[in-house]
Amino acid sequence: MAEHKRLKVYFDGGCRPNPGPIEVAAVMRGMAQVRTDLGNGTNGDAEWLALIHALEVAQASGAAAFDLLGDSRSVIAQANGRAKAASPSDRVHLERFRKLAGANPPTRVRWVKREQNLAGIFLNARHPR
């Protein structure tokens, strides 16, 4: 039987200014799904909400196995249990991520360079300089 390739879902989030309105993106199969209705917060909140958004997008796709890829070392280390939640809001986001992952968790949550993060590239394109 052929081995199935894991789905890759890229995520990124930010706010302009920081703190300010949050926007997040998840890119899966070349298509970006953006949310701008998440209220205000910090860039850290935005990165967490982007990871959660990517998890929801991946789960909704029905993929049996998926990786979540982002460029926030802090959020990825916390999500993988390699670092403690850095703040009370990080603890809330981490708990929500773990609860949502439940029975259908990602195979991996891993770091990629900023220039390889398709979600970050997409968000940057929304804000011409």
Side-chain angles (χ1 to χ4, degrees), residues 22 31 42-45 50 53 55 58-59 63 89 93 102 113 118 120:
I22 291 173
M31 299 294 296
T42 66
N43 280 333
D45 293 320
H53 177 55
L55 174 64
Q59 290 173 332
S89 65
H93 296 309
K113 293 178 184 177
L118 300 180

Side-chain angles (χ1 to χ4, degrees), residues 52-83:
I52 290 166
H53 177 55
L55 174 64
E56 292 170 334
V57 166
Q59 290 173 332
S61 77
F66 57 90
D67 291 347
L68 304 178
L69 299 93
D71 58 31
S72 173
R73 288 185 189 271
S74 172
V75 167
I76 292 167
Q78 291 172 59
N80 285 320
R82 292 192 310 264

Side-chain angles (χ1 to χ4, degrees), residues 6-13 25-29 47 50-55 58 65-73 75-76 79-80 97 106-114 116-121:
R6 282 194 304 261
L7 177 67
K8 292 181 181 177
V9 182
Y10 295 83
F11 68 91
D12 198 20
V27 174
M28 175 181 73
R29 297 183 180 122
E47 291 287 357
L51 173 61
I52 290 166
H53 177 55
L55 174 64
F66 57 90
D67 291 347
L68 304 178
L69 299 93
D71 58 31
S72 173
R73 288 185 189 271
V75 167
I76 292 167
N80 285 320
F97 173 76
T107 305
R108 295 189 304 174
V109 179
R110 72 179 181 93
W111 179 83
V112 294
K113 293 178 184 177
R114 177 77 176 152
Q116 295 172 324
N117 186 347
L118 300 180
I121 293 166

Side-chain angles (χ1 to χ4, degrees), residues 13-24 35-50 87 89-90 93:
C15 51
R16 294 170 195 227
N18 182 24
I22 291 173
E23 67 178 357
V24 301
R35 291 197 59 190
T36 58
D37 60 346
L38 299 169
N40 290 335
T42 66
N43 280 333
D45 293 320
E47 291 287 357
W48 268 112
L49 293 173
S87 69
S89 65
D90 285 354
H93 296 309

